[in-house]
Amino acid sequence: MTVIGWRGSLSRCSPSVFRVSRGAGGVGRETPSMKRVTLFVRGNGRHGKVVALYGSTICDVLSLASSRLGIRATGVYNDKGGVIDDIGLIRDDDVLFVSDGESCVDDQNEPMITEPLTGGQTDWLTLNVGGRYFTTTRSTLVSKEPDSMLSHMFSDRDAWGNKRDHRGAFLIDRSPEYFEPILNYLRHGQLIVNDGVNLLGVLEEAKFFGIDSLIEHLELAIKNSQPAEDHSPISRKEFIRFLLATPTKSELRCQGLNFSGADLSRLDLRYINFKMANLSGCNLTQANLCGACLERADLSGSMLDGANLQGVKMLCSNAEGASLKSCNFEDPSGLKANLEGANLKGVDMEGSQMTGINLRVATLKNAKLKNCNLRGATLAGTDLENCDLSGCDLQEANLRGSNVKGAIFEEMLTPLHMEKSLPPKLLQKKKCAICNIKLPPSWEKKLSRRRILNLIQTSPMPHPRVDGNLRPL
């Protein structure tokens, strides 16, 4: 005879099936029916136990599972992850999964981390990526990118010996924040990244897992997300705000910045580094550039009239067509301005103080240097073709190897020592570069001071510009 009855409380126990057998006295005795089931710890499809189940409630099942599996069983689940709260739902040869250490109610909200015993590419897997759980199917990880690391990890079971945590989830030591967009891409083929997630981090994860098609999407997205480069020049207002925010003792670096056409006149720009900066067309009138670095800077067409350029460094700079009238390059402390290799074509430097300036191998073609103070200047190898040097003070200047073709030396304040300064090419001419006197056929390439004086004294006309001592009248 089969009797259906209720035992235990409504919350934990359920209707059970009992067999009623008659003993010798004819008195009915309730005996639970025996069921053979296989028990596994939830999340682990191995090391199961086949047990005989005589219990009449779920509590009996949990007690049996705790003793046989050596855990504190708190819930029973089928192979699909469903919670079993009625012992009448258990049949012979059922496979049961028992949760360890957590309540039945809380476990319902936990991710499903059991791996079915059946094979196939539709198996559900749980990944523990950096402490965060992701549930997906094996086909998601394998089908989209068959050559990726994830495909090789999960195409064959345990082919890589993947480690699992205590819940049976596969352990992957990567950032979950960057792994989530990759998993979503493998699911539906679209790159979706939440706000605040760095695309560069996702790109590195994609390269790590070998998701080649995603790498192309990410590189394009990163390129499109970068703001357009701002090549607009810095205004006077912006630069003054920049100057006021910088302590006076701090080095101010403006390398490569664009100041094209800016008005920087009358500003204190001492010791600022303008290396390779674009200062073309700038107004730097009466600006204080003492000790500033203008190496390889573009100063073409700029206005620097009356600027203080003591000790300035303008190596290989481009100042073609610039105006440097009445500039001061002379530093009383002895620090010499360095314009070596600078492009000064057509520059106007009239009336500038350039004592000891270094213009070695600079280009001063068609430049105007009227009434400049070039005492002790280094002009070796300088291109002075068609340069106007009238009225200049070239005492002790070094003109060795310079090109003075077509240069104007009128009204010079000091004599030009040809023996030490002028190149042989100039002396090969048939006329003197100073007084335009025709030289005799037997003249020497290097003329001494006495030789020039004799030529002047024997000329039919008095020398228009110098007296007998080779000094200006």
Side-chain angles (χ1 to χ4, degrees), residues 234-311:
I234 299 174
S235 65
R236 178 184 179 91
K237 183 178 180 180
E238 292 173 337
F239 190 62
I240 290 177
R241 189 184 300 115
F242 186 39
L243 289 174
L244 295 176
T246 305
T248 55
K249 295 183 178 180
S250 299
E251 180 182 4
L252 195 58
R253 298 181 179 180
C254 299
Q255 299 101 314
L257 296 184
N258 185 8
F259 296 91
S260 178
D263 182 10
L264 304 178
S265 60
R266 298 179 175 83
L267 292 181
D268 186 0
L269 307 176
R270 290 176 297 173
Y271 305 106
I272 296 179
N273 190 347
F274 289 105
K275 185 176 181 179
M276 302 183 71
N278 182 7
L279 293 160
S280 60
C282 278
N283 183 5
L284 291 163
T285 304
Q286 297 183 6
N288 188 357
L289 289 161
C290 176
C293 179
L294 293 165
E295 183 177 348
R296 299 183 183 276
D298 185 3
L299 290 159
S300 57
S302 297
M303 297 289 295
L304 290 95
D305 296 346
N308 184 8
L309 298 170
Q310 296 177 358

Side-chain angles (χ1 to χ4, degrees), residues 117-254:
L117 298 179
T118 58
Q121 295 297 310
T122 59
D123 295 346
W124 284 92
L125 303 173
T126 299
L127 310 178
N128 183 351
V129 183
R132 182 175 168 187
Y133 289 96
F134 296 90
T135 302
T136 185
T137 61
R138 192 183 299 272
S139 61
T140 299
L141 303 175
V142 173
S143 302
K144 181 70 177 178
E145 290 285 339
D147 295 330
S148 66
M149 180 187 296
L150 291 172
S151 177
H152 290 302
M153 289 174 64
F154 297 101
S155 58
D156 297 326
R157 295 196 177 193
D158 298 331
W160 281 36
N162 301 320
K163 300 296 183 181
R164 304 194 188 198
D165 62 6
H166 65 284
R167 296 180 181 175
F170 292 97
L171 291 168
I172 299 178
D173 186 20
R174 305 301 294 179
S175 172
E177 182 181 11
Y178 301 141
F179 180 79
E180 183 177 7
I182 294 176
L183 182 58
N184 289 332
Y185 175 78
L186 295 176
R187 285 169 174 162
H188 45 65
Q190 299 293 327
L191 175 60
I192 301 175
V193 181
N194 296 331
D195 294 338
V197 177
N198 193 337
L199 290 176
L200 291 175
V202 182
L203 177 61
E204 290 301 319
E205 293 298 303
K207 291 180 179 180
F208 176 80
F209 289 111
I211 315 295
D212 295 334
S213 59
L214 179 58
I215 293 175
E216 298 177 3
H217 289 288
L218 285 168
E219 289 177 345
L220 180 61
I222 292 173
K223 183 178 180 181
N224 295 333
S225 63
Q226 293 178 347
E229 295 184 3
D230 185 10
H231 296 287
S232 59
I234 299 174
S235 65
R236 178 184 179 91
K237 183 178 180 180
E238 292 173 337
F239 190 62
I240 290 177
R241 189 184 300 115
F242 186 39
L243 289 174
L244 295 176
T246 305
T248 55
K249 295 183 178 180
S250 299
E251 180 182 4
L252 195 58
R253 298 181 179 180
C254 299

